[in-house]
Amino acid sequence: MTTAPAHILIVDDDVEISQLVEQVLSRDGYRVSRAPDAKRARSLLAEGSVSLIVLDLMLPGEDGLSFCRSLRGGGDLTPIIMLTAKGDDFDRVLGLEMGADDYLPKPFHGRELLARIKAVLRRSAVAGAAPPRSDRFIRFEGWALDTAKRELVSDDDVIVLLSGAEYELLLAFLTWPQATLSREKLLDATRGRSAIISDRSIDIQVSRLRKKLGDDPKSPRIIKTIWGDGYIFTPDVLA
């Protein structure tokens, strides 16, 4: 039985760039759709299954950050790789905080984009294909991580949605609680080394995860920073 190719949605109003990206992805066997703005992107998302979105930050009308935020706010966890201007660190940070799974500065090489797409899709496929476990709930500090639905549930049954990167990061912390984890270790555990991703992305994901856990960033109790070494997840973990 033949597996259908992954469907990549390119959201970029620069026709030349989106056409070039489409050519690169199509040559690698992906099914590709293109949208010049958020409105058209929503229509395409509603029409069928999209495996991953390549999203430009600068769009006419609703910008990429707002579009990303609205998707995540509505519970859409389709992986997103955000395209940003080279050297625009502030917007990259905002993109990750809004729920993007990765970012790529312009200009970029087609092979690098392909590597990042494959890494994000592979991580999503592994997480989505994981069979339900009898111990599917991992409990800590009044929270429960549902490993079947990939949701975080509070002690008063409020569901907190996690992006793919946030889920993998939390799962890594729960796998090695009360142990100092270097950024390199967390990169290996969450994204693998096939994509070129900076240590800074781990710091941003930790910041997002702390916010969702209600962990005070100025004096965190759950995920503590070990200066020069990485992070440590302090609560007891019950599977």
Side-chain angles (χ1 to χ4, degrees):
M1 183 167 144
T2 304
T3 303
H7 182 193
I8 311 299
L9 173 59
I10 305 166
V11 187
D12 195 328
D13 65 320
D14 188 316
V15 176
E16 183 176 353
I17 289 179
S18 62
Q19 286 179 339
L20 287 172
V21 172
E22 181 178 16
Q23 290 173 10
V24 169
L25 299 183
S26 296
R27 282 199 299 267
D28 211 62
Y30 291 105
R31 175 188 168 200
V32 181
S33 296
R34 293 192 287 131
D37 53 36
K39 182 178 180 180
R40 176 57 180 156
R42 283 194 175 87
S43 297
L44 290 171
L45 285 168
E47 288 176 7
S49 176
V50 171
S51 308
L52 182 143
I53 303 169
V54 177
L55 175 63
D56 187 34
L57 188 143
M58 301 299 295
L59 294 173
E62 183 180 6
D63 63 35
L65 288 175
S66 297
F67 179 53
C68 179
R69 179 174 54 203
S70 68
L71 288 180
R72 294 299 186 244
D76 189 324
L77 297 180
T78 304
I80 295 173
I81 296 178
M82 186 165 283
L83 305 180
T84 68
K86 187 174 183 180
D88 203 345
D89 291 331
F90 180 73
D91 283 337
R92 293 181 205 172
V93 170
L94 277 179
L96 291 172
E97 289 180 342
M98 294 301 175
D101 293 270
D102 199 0
Y103 64 82
L104 189 61
K106 291 181 177 181
F108 54 84
H109 196 285
R111 282 184 295 182
E112 182 177 5
L113 176 61
L114 278 173
R116 289 175 182 265
I117 287 174
K118 289 176 180 178
V120 172
L121 286 176
R122 182 165 53 249
R123 185 178 71 245
S124 299
V126 168
R133 311 172 354 175
S134 58
D135 57 341
R136 63 184 259 188
F137 291 99
I138 306 176
R139 304 179 189 280
F140 64 96
E141 197 80 7
W143 294 92
L145 181 68
D146 185 338
T147 59
K149 294 184 177 180
R150 302 171 69 214
E151 294 175 343
L152 185 61
V153 185
S154 71
D155 56 3
D156 52 355
D157 292 326
V158 174
I159 295 175
V160 177
L161 296 176
L162 300 173
S163 69
E166 291 166 352
Y167 172 80
E168 293 296 333
L169 180 61
L170 179 55
L171 190 60
F173 280 128
L174 294 175
T175 302
W176 297 284
Q178 301 167 3
T180 299
L181 302 179
S182 67
R183 289 171 177 80
E184 182 178 12
K185 173 75 171 179
L186 291 170
L187 282 170
D188 286 333
T190 58
R191 295 176 183 254
R193 306 301 295 185
S194 58
I196 305 169
I197 302 170
S198 71
D199 289 355
R200 175 62 175 150
S201 66
I202 288 293
D203 295 334
I204 294 168
Q205 301 293 353
V206 167
S207 176
R208 285 172 50 189
L209 192 54
R210 279 174 173 161
K211 183 183 295 185
K212 292 191 174 183
L213 291 171
D215 203 13
D216 184 356
K218 294 181 180 179
S219 182
R221 296 182 306 103
I222 299 176
I223 305 174
K224 291 188 175 182
T225 302
I226 307 299
W227 298 108
D229 288 325
Y231 296 96
I232 186 170
F233 188 81
T234 63
D236 292 326
V237 174
L238 302 174

